[in-house]
């Protein structure tokens, strides 16, 4: 029996369930004039599960991506003065900004290329490929011998991280039950700042002149990322392919087997009786989704959601990357903080970013997406404008500046995480990874790549007013994004992915 859907692409309505089917039929395959068709309740079975050790392990093994990104971004900022003092590199502020932009440019291209592959060949293969690229490139960064080589290796590191975002976001969205999806996604994205804390701690130790020399500490710091990545590689060995991806891409038996194993892991027994009560849907299996259909889906059928996702991603990318990539330079150039002390200021900054998703995340599943996205984006923008003004008139010290950042990013961290949540849950399964990649790439390309280079130039001017102008622009972007979310964001809280955006392969 087919599951009937009574909604258009942008209204987010729920599906109408049918019952009376057995668990053994949850991946029944039929043949017809239109090719192979699957009648399945696999999505409903995954969403019906309670939180368990299985889901915790998935979050730990896959969510570590954000820890790695946080580590890389923090090292880039905290090590900026060490790179300028390096006998072999002799970076200027502009070189620092351009190298950071190279990392983000790599993330943009990596997200697009690997995002296309993730939808085509599967989630699991890609989160091993992208992690391997990250490991190799970040280890190579530690061996850089010139500005050009450093920028190249940072570009490749970014490509690995960008690819990770698409494969990992897709997998987590498709394995976590609907009622936990918002908080889980925000918490995972917030773990970026655990990586930031590790990076800051590494910088504190490894940049201490009593421990390492000026051209050794920053190299050892990048080695920290490679070591952490090796641990993650082992943790991922047991993570299964997404059953949702498998059921559409011609592997229904494997999808069913994985779901049964997950249910046994979670409950300790088979759930045949419960499965009889769960809704089913009828899907036409496909090998891949043509790029033309992807484009029509994103820019025609779901164009309103596409504009919302793009606005949120651009605003948060500029806000975060422009400010955080140059955080260390503000402390050293305007407040006279020694490079080996910068890590101590990043730690409380990171704490605010972790606490935001942790304490506010559940509200995205209770008060709802639209309310919380509007609130967090709006408050972040207003606070940034106020803090920027205080900075411009010299009213802040290094300590009060850091305290202000801590408060701002308590709200900005869940706001940024909500952008990733929005673009990963608001589009059909067949194009999910590429949708994440596209909006991440465009948002990061516009807001992220330009941001660090722009702020590097503003800092080189030595003018507080010039830097304030950059902060004010970032604040404006966040307030505009808040207004767009208030008007157009989808109420996806506690709904299955198939209810928020039905698969392209669904048959009425």
């Amino acid at each position: 029996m087919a599951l009937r859907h009574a909604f258009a692409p942008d209204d987010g309505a729920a599906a109408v369930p049918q019952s009376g089917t057995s668990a053994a039929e949850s991946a029944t395959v039929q043949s017809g004039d239109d090719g192979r068709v699957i009648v399945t309740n696999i999505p409903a079975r995954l969403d019906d599960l309670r939180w368990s050790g299985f889901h915790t392990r998935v979050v730990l093994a896959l969510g570590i991506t954000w820890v790695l990104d946080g580590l890389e971004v923090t090292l880039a900022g905290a090590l900026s003065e060490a790179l300028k003092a390096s006998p072999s590199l002799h970076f200027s502020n502009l070189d620092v900004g351009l190298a950071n932009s190279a990392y983000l440019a790599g993330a943009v291209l990596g997200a697009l290329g690997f995002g296309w592959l993730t939808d085509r060949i599967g989630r699991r293969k890609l989160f091993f490929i992208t992690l391997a690229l990250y490991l190799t490139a970040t280890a190579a960064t530690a061996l850089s011998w010139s500005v050009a080589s450093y920028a190249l290796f940072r570009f490749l590191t970014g490509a690995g991280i960008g690819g990770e975002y698409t494969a990992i976001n897709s997998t987590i969205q498709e394995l976590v039950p609907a009622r936990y999806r918002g908080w889980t996604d925000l918490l995972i994205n917030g773990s970026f700042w655990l990586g930031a804390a590790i990076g800051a701690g590494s910088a504190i130790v490894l940049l201490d002149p009593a421990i390492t020399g000026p051209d050794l500490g920053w190299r050892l710091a990048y080695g920290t990322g490679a070591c952490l990545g090796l641990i993650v590689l082992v943790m991922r060995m047991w993570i299964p392919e997404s059953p949702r991806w498998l059921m559409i891409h011609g592997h229904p038996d494997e999808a069913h087997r994985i779901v049964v194993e997950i249910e046994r892991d979670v409950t300790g027994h088979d759930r045949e009786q419960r499965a009889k009560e769960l809704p089913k849907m009828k899907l036409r299996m496909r090998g891949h989704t043509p790029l033309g259909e992807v484009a029509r889906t994103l820019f025609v059928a779901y164009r309103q959601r596409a504009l919302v996702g793009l606005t949120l991603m651009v605003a948060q990318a500029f806000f975060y990357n422009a400010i955080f990539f140059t955080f260390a330079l503000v402390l050293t150039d305007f407040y006279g903080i020694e490079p080996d002390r910068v890590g101590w200021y990043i730690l409380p900054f990171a704490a605010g970013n972790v606490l935001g998703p942790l304490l506010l995340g559940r509200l995205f599943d209770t008060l709802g997406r639209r309310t919380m996205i509007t609130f967090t984006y709006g408050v972040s923008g207003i606070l940034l404008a106020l803090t920027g003004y205080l900075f411009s008139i010299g009213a802040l010290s290094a300590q009060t500046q850091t305290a202000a950042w801590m408060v701002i990013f308590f709200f900005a961290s869940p706001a940024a995480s909500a952008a990733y949540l929005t673009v990963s849950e608001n589009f059909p399964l067949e194009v999910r990874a590429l949708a994440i990649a596209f909006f991440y790439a465009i948002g990061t390309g516009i807001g992220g790549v330009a941001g660090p280079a722009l702020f590097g130039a503003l800092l080189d001017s030595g003018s507080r007013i010039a830097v304030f102008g950059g902060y004010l622009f970032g604040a404006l972007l966040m307030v505009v994004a808040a207004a767009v979310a208030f008007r157009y964001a989808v109420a996806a809280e506690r709904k299955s992915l198939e209810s928020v955006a039905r698969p392209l392969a669904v048959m009425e």
Side-chain angles (χ1 to χ4, degrees), residues 45-46 49 52 54 57 238 240-241 243 253-270:
R45 293 177 73 164
L46 290 170
L49 294 173
S52 69
F54 166 78
R57 293 192 297 273
W238 60 269
E241 178 59 89
D253 293 339
E254 185 179 355
H256 180 240
R257 177 185 59 78
I258 290 173
V259 169
V260 170
E261 290 177 355
I262 292 173
E263 289 176 334
R264 288 173 181 165
D265 187 279
V266 173
T267 66
H269 57 79
D270 290 333

Side-chain angles (χ1 to χ4, degrees), residues 200-392:
S202 298
I204 290 171
V205 175
L206 296 176
L207 294 183
D208 188 337
I211 298 176
T212 61
D215 206 34
L216 179 60
W218 67 267
R219 297 181 187 275
L220 294 177
Y222 280 118
T224 303
C227 292
L228 183 58
L230 283 173
I231 297 172
V232 177
L233 192 65
V234 175
M235 292 172 63
R236 288 186 180 174
M237 293 297 182
W238 60 269
I239 301 293
E241 178 59 89
S242 164
R244 282 178 156 108
W245 184 88
L246 288 168
M247 71 181 184
I248 285 183
H249 289 83
H251 307 282
D253 293 339
E254 185 179 355
H256 180 240
R257 177 185 59 78
I258 290 173
V259 169
V260 170
E261 290 177 355
I262 292 173
E263 289 176 334
R264 288 173 181 165
D265 187 279
V266 173
T267 66
H269 57 79
D270 290 333
R271 305 182 78 233
E272 293 186 6
Q273 292 304 312
R274 174 58 182 163
K276 293 178 181 180
E277 305 170 6
L278 299 176
K280 305 192 90 174
M281 60 182 5
K282 191 174 185 179
L283 303 167
R284 182 183 298 109
M285 290 184 286
R286 54 172 68 189
H288 68 280
T289 302
L291 288 177
E293 187 174 4
V294 173
R296 287 191 299 273
T297 301
L298 294 180
F299 307 120
V300 179
Y302 290 88
R303 59 184 176 275
Q304 180 173 294
R305 297 185 185 190
L307 288 173
V308 173
L310 182 61
T311 302
L312 296 181
M313 290 296 287
V314 169
Q316 67 83 26
F318 184 92
F319 187 93
Y320 254 98
N321 294 313
I323 294 169
F324 188 59
F325 267 128
T326 55
F327 180 77
L329 295 177
V330 170
L331 291 174
T332 56
D333 292 4
F334 288 94
Y335 294 110
I337 302 300
E338 293 298 322
D340 62 304
R341 307 295 295 174
V342 167
W344 292 110
Y345 292 86
I346 293 178
L347 287 175
F349 183 92
N353 279 276
V354 172
L355 289 174
L358 182 64
L359 299 179
L360 300 180
R362 291 196 183 276
L363 298 178
F364 284 77
D365 284 324
T366 55
L367 294 181
R369 306 287 200 259
R370 180 178 297 166
T371 298
M372 290 305 298
I373 293 174
T374 301
F375 173 73
T376 52
Y377 268 81
V379 170
S380 300
I382 292 169
L383 291 178
L384 175 61
L386 292 174
T387 300
Y389 172 72
L390 294 176
F391 168 81
S392 71

Side-chain angles (χ1 to χ4, degrees), residues 444-508:
T444 302
I446 296 174
V449 174
L454 171 62
F455 268 73
L458 294 177
L459 288 167
D460 273 340
S461 73
S463 168
R464 287 177 178 262
I465 298 298
V467 176
F468 171 50
Y471 289 151
L472 203 58
F473 181 66
L476 177 62
L477 288 178
M478 294 296 280
V479 172
V480 169
V484 170
F486 178 76
R487 178 65 180 85
Y488 298 111
V490 174
E493 57 274 5
R494 306 178 72 86
K495 296 179 181 177
S496 72
L497 292 171
E498 290 73 24
S499 294
V500 176
R502 70 176 181 177
L504 300 178
V506 73
M507 298 179 66
E508 298 294 349

